[in-house]
Amino acid sequence: MLVYPPIEDPKPQLITMLQLRLLKKLGQNAYPFTFTLKPGLPSSVTLQPAQGSEVEKPCGVDFILRAYVAKNANDKIEKRNSVRLAIKKITHAPVSQTERPLVDVTRNFMLSSKPLTVEANLDKGTFYHGEPINVNVAITNTSSKSIRKLKITVRQFSDICLFAQTKYKAVVSELDAEDSFPLQPGGTLQRTYCLTPLLEDNRKKPGLALDGQIKHEDTCLASSTMLPPGQEENKEARESLGVVVHYSVKVRVVVSLGSDVTLELPFTLTHPEPQEKVVCGMVTLPRPKPKSAKEMGTVKEGPLVTETAEPEPIVLRPSDVDTSSVHGLVLDRDLITFEDESGTTSGDQDFVFEEFVRLRISGTEEAETEA
């Protein structure tokens, strides 16, 4: 998309309060813009490399926003004339409630007249990162076999569709239940077990899928991939996403002198919908005008006199946001701190400008190195 030069007849555009503050800080040479990612694009995913490996960039899916300056649109993009910004695309919980996973298995054994019945379920089908998962297990042992123990694991499955079809499987949380065991013939058990899959417990496992990571920011386990309804088994749809991640709880009942009973409970692991709403306003940028000799400055005999045209103010709507002129304000050369309407410094937003200035400094250092 073309940001500069602006269009001849600018239309009102929706910008955030942060962009408005940037306009006030940077003046007439700042041009805000917004963009929207196309629907159906994959979320940011990174595969955790092995510890000690010298991999510059791990395998995964990431998004980079690049802005560059050139004389013509078809000019080659040079690093010294461009800046890059990493973008993290995350998945939020679906609006519709997912079904509650429930599985029951009845197993008959040789030389046993009655079966073994195992039922397992989860409280809900969607869990947030860091939220404990309650697994409800009910066992009715009317067989002649005894049950030694119960093993519960949370497993992550990653289908890599980038270069070749590859599948990874990793246990992200596990629990061995030995209380109330062995369970003798004729016994029953009904209990709830709690597991919490966290990245802190799995940092040494190579190939684990993580949410896309930005510099100076920690991450978490990768969210479940949201495939369109009816496209879960579509090969082309899965390949377009690059990395497909899903989770399940495996309940394994270990039987003495018999085959084990295994149950799978699939669930969705994702981020909650953000509660904070971004404050926005409608802004009409001033129409670009060709620079005249008067605007460029006129040299007269005697002392040097520079005349500049009065900047056309930006109109901001609605009225509940800051309605003062943006380009008409005297520029504040302090690009690090904000001041609110009362004149006090807003420390919560300082880090935005600190990171902005840090990127500009690093870009300058790269240009000097290339030179």
Side-chain angles (χ1 to χ4, degrees), residues 90-323:
I90 62 176
T91 303
H92 290 135
V95 178
S96 59
Q97 294 293 331
T98 55
E99 296 182 0
R100 179 185 178 186
L102 172 63
V103 179
D104 62 276
V105 174
T106 301
R107 176 69 58 82
N108 292 300
F109 298 98
M110 188 178 296
L111 303 179
S112 179
S113 58
K114 295 183 179 180
L116 167 66
T117 303
V118 182
E119 180 181 333
N121 63 76
L122 305 179
D123 292 342
K124 52 185 179 178
T126 301
F127 294 88
Y128 302 142
H129 291 282
E131 183 180 3
I133 301 174
N134 293 325
V135 184
N136 307 307
V137 180
I139 302 175
T140 303
N141 186 15
T142 58
S143 67
S144 58
K145 305 289 185 179
S146 63
I147 301 174
R148 290 192 303 166
K149 65 177 181 178
L150 183 68
K151 187 173 183 179
I152 304 175
T153 56
V154 179
R155 301 191 297 173
Q156 180 197 80
F157 299 88
S158 303
D159 297 341
I160 314 301
C161 310
L162 297 175
F163 307 105
Q165 291 288 341
T166 308
K167 294 186 178 182
Y168 286 97
K169 179 177 64 177
V171 175
V172 294
S173 182
E174 59 183 341
L175 182 148
D176 288 336
E178 297 183 353
D179 294 342
S180 304
F181 291 97
L183 186 63
Q184 301 299 333
T188 59
L189 175 70
Q190 188 170 356
R191 186 165 296 184
T192 300
Y193 301 95
C194 182
L195 298 90
T196 306
L198 297 172
L199 176 58
E200 286 73 12
D201 304 329
N202 301 276
R203 292 192 181 274
K204 297 182 179 180
K205 295 181 179 179
L208 193 68
L210 312 176
D211 264 354
Q213 189 172 7
I214 302 179
K215 291 183 178 180
H216 315 298
E217 179 182 287
D218 200 5
T219 183
C220 59
L221 296 174
S223 301
S224 300
T225 303
M226 301 294 183
L227 291 169
Q231 301 292 325
E232 290 80 7
E233 302 300 330
N234 190 327
K235 184 178 179 180
E236 294 182 357
R238 297 172 70 89
E239 289 180 350
S240 64
L241 296 176
V243 180
V244 179
V245 181
H246 60 278
Y247 294 85
S248 71
V249 174
K250 180 180 179 180
V251 180
R252 180 184 176 190
V253 179
V254 181
V255 182
S256 298
L257 302 176
S259 58
D260 298 342
V261 179
T262 304
L263 299 85
E264 291 278 351
L265 299 169
F267 68 94
T268 300
L269 184 66
T270 184
H271 295 274
E273 282 287 347
Q275 300 296 326
E276 298 181 358
K277 301 299 182 182
V278 179
V279 180
C280 302
M282 296 299 295
V283 166
T284 302
L285 295 179
R287 180 179 302 176
K289 296 181 179 179
K291 292 185 178 181
S292 62
K294 184 178 181 181
E295 291 174 338
M296 296 292 294
T298 304
V299 180
K300 300 180 180 180
E301 296 182 358
L304 179 65
V305 178
T306 303
E307 298 179 358
T308 57
E310 185 69 21
E312 184 176 346
I314 286 180
V315 181
L316 180 65
R317 296 182 299 270
S319 58
D320 55 346
V321 250
D322 190 356
T323 56

Side-chain angles (χ1 to χ4, degrees), residues 83-94:
V83 292
R84 290 158 50 95
L85 177 66
I87 299 176
K88 181 178 179 180
K89 182 178 182 294
I90 62 176
T91 303
H92 290 135

